[in-house]
Each structure stands twice: as C-alpha cells, then as structure tokens.
Amino acid sequence: MALDDGNTVTTKLLTLLNVSATKLGKRKVVEEDFVPAEKLNKRKSISFSDKVSIKRLDAEEQHVEEERVMETDKADAEDDAMDVDEDADVQDSSDPYETHFGPNSSVLTETVRTAVDQGAWKTSKEVLGRLGPATVSVPVQPDPNAPASKTSGQIDILERVKTPFKAHQAKCTLNQGFTRPSVLVLLPFRNSALDWFHALTSHTPSSSFQIENQARFLAEYDLPPGTEDKLTSAEPGTYPLDHVETFKGNVDDNFRIGVKLTRKSVRMFTEFYGCDLILASPLGLRRSIEKEKSADYLTSIEILIVDQMDALMMQNWDHVKFVMSHLNKLPKESHDTDFSRIKPWYLDGLAPYLRQSILLSSFETPEMRSLYSHSLKNVAGKVKIDKRWLPVDIPDGVKPNFVHFDCGSPQDEADKRFHHFTTQLLPSVLKSAVQSTNTVVFVPSSYDFIRVHNYFRKTAGVSFTVLSEYSSNQDISRARLAFFKGEKSFLLVSERFHFYKRYKLRGIRNLVFYGPPDHPQYFTEYLSYPFLDEEVEPSDVTCRVLYSKYDWFRLERVAGTEAAAELIKIV
C-alpha cells in the first residue's frame, strides 16, 4: 500500500476539516442574537481632511466612534444574514449563475473536464454582435454518443465521517467557497484602481449608500491635493493621448486593497478575508503573498479580470504568472470556515474549471496567448476576439526594409536573432559611412536589450549611448544631447523606456529595429522623429526591421494583417 505523501486533496481536506471541527466545537454563534464582542487593541479611528491630517480622538469621541463601528459591524452581520436567507429563497435552477456556479453545476462534467485537461478544444469562427469576429473554443467530449456523467462531488473519507457531514450539508442553504473574496481585478497602476472605484461607486444610490473610507482611498490613490499633473495640464498634442491616459494621476505599481459590498455601503480597505472584491497590482499581490506565506484569500475567486495587460507586459510579467499560479488552490488553514456549507466542487479542487476570466488588452502577445491557452480552463468554453490590423502610417517616401532570419523553434529564437544581428545586419551597417552614424537601435525585449548592450560594450570602435527604463533623468539628458550633437554614433533604446518616457529624439537618420515593436504606434513615431530636424528628406532616412515567423503578432500590427501574412509566406 502506497503511503500518502500529505499532498493529496483528501489529506489536505481532512486536515482542514479536523481543525475546523475543533474550532467550531469551542464556539457557538447565534446569528439571530448577534452581539459583537468588544475588540481588544482597537485601532484608533482617523479622519482625513483635504490636507490628509490625522486627529486624535479624546475619550468621549473615541467612545462614540467605537459605538459607531460596533453598529456598523452589527449592520454588516445583519446584511450577511439577510443575504443567506435571500439566497435560500431565490435559488433557481434556471438562473445562469446557479447553472454555472451552483453547488450542482450542470456544466461541470467528467467528460468536459477530461477534454480540458487533454487540451481537446473544438474551435469555430463566429461573429459576436458588437464584439465582432471571434474564435470560440469549447471542450470536445471524447465520445459524443456516451452520456455525460456529472461530477459527483463526493469526498473520499471514512463513511462514519462522510455520512453525518453530507446529512448536515444537505440541510444548509448558504453555499460558499473556502474564503469570502470572489472577484479579483489585476491592474497596472493606482490610477487604474481609482477608475475602477469611480465606476463601481457611480452605480450606487448616493442618497442611501455609504462609501466608507473614501477620503483615505482618494488620498492614497489620487495625486496629493495641489499637485499639478504635467500630462493632463500640458498643451494638447504635447504627449500622445494613449500615454496621457495610461500615466495620468498616481502611477505607483505596488498596491492592493479589499472592497466589501453590502446592501447599504461600499467599504474600502477591508481586510482580505472579509472582503468581496480585491483590486491589486500583480506586484502588490505577490509581495502580500510572499510576506504572509499564504494566498488562501485567492482560493475561491470566481471571476478574474486582468485589465490593461499591454501595460502589465511593460512591467514584470513574472508577477502575473505568480498570481495566476496561486488562484483556486486548496487553503492552508481553515479560517473558521464551515465546511458543511462549501460547494462540493470547491472541496474536489475543481474551482479552476468554473472560474470566469476576462483578459483585456489593446493587442496580443505570445505571453498573453500562452496564458489564454494554458491557464484558462473554464469548461463552459472561452472566446478570443479577433482583429485584422491595417498597416501603420509612416512618412511619405520612407521605405522600411523587413529583414528575415531563419528560426526552427521558438526556444532558439533569441539566439538566432542575436546571431543574425551581430554577424550580418550590424556589420553591413558598420560598413556604410552614412548608416554607421546617427543610428538608433530599438530593442523591444528587455532581455534582448541587455544582451545587445553588452555586445556594444565589448565591440571596439563603436561609440554609443543608452536609453533604458533604468536611466536617470541626468543620464537621459546626457544621452540625448550626445547623440544629437553626433558625439555618439549609436543610440540603444529599449521599448520600455519609450513606454514610460515617450521622449521625442532628434538627430536620427537611420533606424534599426531589433524586432517589430509591441506597440505599433512606436514604429510610426520613430520614423517621424528624423523630420524634427530641418532640411531632412525621406531619402535621408533608412529603416531596417529584423523579424522571424515567431514575430507574427508584432509584425501584423506594424505591417498589417495581409502584408504580414505575405512576409511570413515569402520565407
């Protein structure tokens, strides 16, 4: 008989059930006569003025404030109890939510789950109203003639434990997950969280709804009072519109906040195990998980929204993958959960097969496609919006030269690109007296940028300077000036630098794109920069774009869908 290694679903659940039963046996909660216990070491309440000043409460004010907090806690508990009663009365098998997320989900069958695990998806092209053309994927059943068998939801535990557990579970009307948070929204910056806050609160009836901790939220997620936003206050046209929309306001990328929704209020800054909705950046959430050494508050996420994925790509994508790897896992602790009320498919570890995920981006990348293909397991299917791209606008008379290199596998792509650049493309540039000066080398990938930078450092006789996302303002000024004056022949630029700074660069006559940029508008911008200088003719400007078949997404956005297909077909 094989020994249990302690990592099986059954072992983990038995451990949690034993801990939960021990805790439940030591306490009895009567919801009808709810009396909140007095909190020890209660945190002093603070009030925020326009200057975000903090006022210490005297003894009488503190007493009044404590009573108000206790009344709020009691009201929240009463609201939760009302939600339980209403859920028991309103449950309807025809309700789309009950059909998908109910305790006896009709979409979660063994056959479709097996198809998802095996990557067996049936794909079709459809037109979805205003969304337009889309690729729809649904799991393929191995045997279409065989009846679909429903997931039993039973737990492999001792009969003497299972029988009373199931009997008690049948009497309960609140069906829940391991922890309370059910919605997670991943965002790149605090200004994005502020936009979501305004969208959320704009649908609440102001006369009867309370928004708690609003002043504190605005103080921490908006710009400080009296601070001028140079992007929004600049003359129209100074900065591109997409840059203004992305970076206006507070652009800190380390944040996380819990939001509790009740019948009468929206409460910001609720601790995670008591909230319904989590707004966070991947970095902020990762730091929280690593600090607490637990991600139990992500065990019962039913709806995941990843917003502005194109901006998240310019941060650290590993943070996104880290958060995704911690979704819908079995909890490490019980957190006072009543396991008799948990939906069976949570106990079976099948939550990832029902989680609804919404990924939003202005364009697609291989990293996003990988996330879509391997991390989204909803057995009801998935939809990807298709888009046909037109070629970007470029100055009249400028003719980009697309340079292809052979590559047999995506694993070899980085090495093959570097080899072709260093052995063929760059030497041909250095042979020309005209093209070996006033030349910008634009590198989309940060990893490739480091590699190219190190190569230039070791190449004798090539004068160059660098603009990266790590360049200080002083470094940026020196590099721009040296390149414009001709003191440096080459300027290496990372795409992340342009994403964050969006400077207009003068002195360019030759452009070498180490790969097509992720943001197609950057291609247009860099081809227009040479004409910032006087008396520059289109014939004075050269442009080379290095690409392989694995650059399809980026190439399509720059050259257009039809032209990109021809470029790939030619090779």
Side-chain angles (χ1 to χ4, degrees):
M1 178 177 179
L3 294 177
D4 189 348
D5 63 1
N7 292 321
T8 64
V9 173
T10 301
T11 302
K12 292 181 180 180
L13 284 175
L14 283 174
T15 303
L16 289 172
L17 285 169
N18 289 333
V19 174
S20 179
T22 302
K23 292 184 177 181
L24 288 173
K26 293 180 180 179
R27 59 181 176 86
K28 294 182 179 180
V29 179
V30 181
E31 295 182 353
E32 290 80 2
D33 299 320
F34 176 80
V35 179
E38 183 177 357
K39 297 180 180 179
L40 299 178
N41 299 325
K42 181 182 289 294
R43 181 178 294 177
K44 293 288 194 308
S45 177
I46 58 176
S47 60
F48 289 82
S49 66
D50 291 339
K51 297 182 179 180
V52 202
S53 60
I54 300 177
K55 177 182 179 183
R56 178 178 294 276
L57 302 176
D58 57 29
E60 181 178 356
E61 290 175 324
Q62 181 176 345
H63 177 70
V64 172
E65 178 65 15
E66 288 178 350
E67 287 186 342
R68 185 193 69 80
V69 173
M70 292 175 66
E71 287 295 327
T72 300
D73 291 342
K74 182 176 181 179
D76 287 351
E78 291 173 349
D79 280 343
D80 291 342
M82 291 175 65
D83 289 339
V84 171
D85 294 337
E86 185 178 84
D87 289 343
D89 296 336
V90 176
Q91 283 185 3
D92 181 2
S93 60
S94 64
D95 181 4
Y97 179 85
E98 289 298 319
T99 300
H100 190 87
F101 286 113
N104 300 307
S105 174
S106 62
V107 299
L108 186 59
T109 64
E110 188 69 26
T111 51
V112 296
R113 185 164 62 85
T114 300
V116 170
D117 290 338
Q118 296 176 349
W121 298 90
K122 179 181 179 181
T123 301
S124 62
K125 298 289 186 179
E126 299 182 19
V127 178
L128 304 178
R130 296 178 62 182
L131 292 178
T135 300
V136 179
S137 302
V138 295
V140 178
Q141 295 192 11
D143 184 1
N145 298 321
S149 60
K150 255 184 139 171
T151 304
S152 63
Q154 295 180 351
I155 306 170
D156 187 17
I157 59 179
L158 294 176
E159 195 66 31
R160 60 195 171 113
V161 177
K162 179 169 38 176
T163 301
F165 176 81
K166 288 293 184 180
H168 179 62
Q169 187 182 44
K171 297 178 182 178
C172 294
T173 56
L174 169 57
N175 297 292
Q176 61 182 36
F178 293 109
T179 53
R180 178 161 181 162
S182 59
V183 180
L184 171 64
V185 182
L186 292 179
L187 304 163
F189 305 112
R190 289 190 181 234
N191 60 12
S192 307
L194 184 63
D195 290 340
W196 273 82
F197 167 79
H198 288 313
L200 182 67
T201 56
S202 65
H203 295 283
T204 59
S206 57
S207 59
S208 59
F209 236 79
Q210 290 184 346
I211 303 176
E212 301 184 32
N213 299 322
Q214 178 175 211
R216 176 188 171 190
F217 177 80
L218 295 177
E220 294 186 15
Y221 283 76
D222 203 351
L223 292 176
T227 302
E228 183 181 23
D229 191 329
K230 68 174 185 178
L231 294 180
T232 57
S233 61
E235 290 290 329
T238 303
Y239 299 98
L241 290 177
D242 65 291
H243 186 72
V244 175
E245 286 299 316
T246 302
F247 291 100
K248 66 181 180 183
N250 190 330
V251 291
D252 176 47
D253 63 353
N254 180 20
F255 65 92
R256 55 196 176 275
I257 183 171
V259 183
K260 183 175 183 179
L261 307 174
T262 70
R263 296 174 181 274
K264 299 179 181 179
S265 67
V266 174
R267 180 183 296 179
M268 311 302 292
F269 296 100
T270 303
E271 63 95 18
F272 280 174
Y273 290 100
C275 73
D276 301 289
L277 165 69
I278 296 176
L279 301 174
S281 65
L283 171 62
L285 209 54
R286 179 172 189 168
R287 287 186 172 180
S288 172
I289 293 171
E290 292 178 337
K291 180 180 179 180
E292 299 177 13
K293 294 181 172 57
S294 173
D296 284 357
Y297 47 79
L298 300 180
T299 58
S300 303
I301 296 298
E302 295 181 349
I303 298 178
L304 166 70
I305 300 175
V306 187
D307 198 4
Q308 295 175 262
M309 294 179 70
D310 46 339
L312 294 175
M313 280 296 305
M314 293 291 105
Q315 296 177 347
N316 190 333
W317 189 252
D318 284 341
H319 298 331
V320 176
K321 295 195 296 184
F322 178 88
V323 173
M324 294 294 297
S325 69
H326 284 78
L327 289 178
N328 301 123
K329 303 297 184 182
L330 290 176
K332 295 181 178 179
E333 300 179 14
S334 65
H335 302 284
D336 295 330
T337 301
D338 184 352
F339 281 82
S340 64
R341 292 181 171 179
I342 294 180
K343 298 174 183 178
W345 44 267
Y346 272 120
L347 297 173
D348 288 340
L350 303 180
Y353 297 97
L354 292 178
R355 186 187 71 233
Q356 294 186 337
S357 304
I358 302 173
L359 312 180
L360 303 172
S361 176
S362 61
F363 55 75
E364 189 177 8
T365 68
E367 293 83 357
M368 297 177 192
R369 176 63 66 88
S370 176
L371 188 68
Y372 173 86
S373 300
H374 301 105
S375 297
L376 306 190
K377 299 183 177 182
N378 193 328
V379 293
K382 50 189 177 182
V383 176
K384 179 177 65 68
I385 306 303
D386 297 329
K387 180 176 181 179
R388 293 186 63 83
W389 294 83
L390 296 175
V392 296
D393 293 329
I394 60 175
D396 292 336
V398 177
K399 298 179 179 180
N401 179 21
F402 289 88
V403 180
H404 172 261
F405 67 95
D406 292 321
C407 183
S409 70
Q411 289 76 20
D412 299 333
E413 192 267 349
D415 292 337
K416 294 287 187 179
R417 185 186 301 272
F418 181 74
H419 181 264
H420 189 95
F421 176 79
T422 56
T423 61
Q424 298 187 43
L425 195 154
L426 185 60
S428 67
V429 171
L430 293 175
K431 289 180 181 178
S432 170
V434 175
Q435 296 184 24
S436 59
T437 186
N438 302 108
T439 302
V440 163
V441 179
F442 185 97
V443 186
S445 165
S446 294
Y447 301 106
D448 288 338
F449 181 82
I450 295 173
R451 194 174 190 179
V452 172
H453 183 196
N454 290 334
Y455 180 80
F456 268 80
R457 289 172 56 188
K458 298 174 183 179
T459 302
V462 178
S463 63
F464 74 97
T465 187
V466 172
L467 291 176
S468 76
E469 62 269 32
Y470 301 110
S471 300
S472 65
N473 289 335
Q474 188 176 19
D475 292 336
I476 294 171
S477 297
R478 289 176 177 174
R480 295 175 68 191
L481 184 60
F483 181 74
F484 175 67
K485 288 185 175 181
E487 297 172 0
K488 301 293 183 180
S489 299
F490 286 82
L491 175 62
L492 307 185
V493 183
S494 70
E495 182 160 359
R496 286 189 179 182
F497 167 80
H498 196 61
F499 173 77
Y500 285 103
K501 299 298 184 180
R502 216 60 172 266
Y503 283 119
K504 296 179 179 179
L505 303 177
R506 299 183 61 185
I508 300 176
R509 296 297 180 272
N510 308 290
L511 283 159
V512 176
F513 286 89
Y514 193 77
D518 275 316
H519 300 77
Q521 64 270 35
Y522 295 178
F523 192 77
T524 300
E525 292 172 11
Y526 269 81
L527 285 178
S528 67
Y529 288 163
F531 302 98
L532 295 174
D533 303 324
E534 297 179 357
E535 298 181 356
V536 175
E537 298 294 331
S539 58
D540 299 332
V541 181
T542 67
C543 175
R544 303 188 190 192
V545 185
L546 190 60
Y547 79 98
S548 75
K549 62 182 178 180
Y550 297 109
D551 287 319
W552 166 255
F553 290 121
R554 296 184 299 182
L555 189 65
E556 179 188 27
R557 293 191 290 271
V558 170
T561 303
E562 293 183 3
E566 290 298 322
L567 287 170
I568 297 296
K569 187 185 302 183
I570 290 174
V571 300

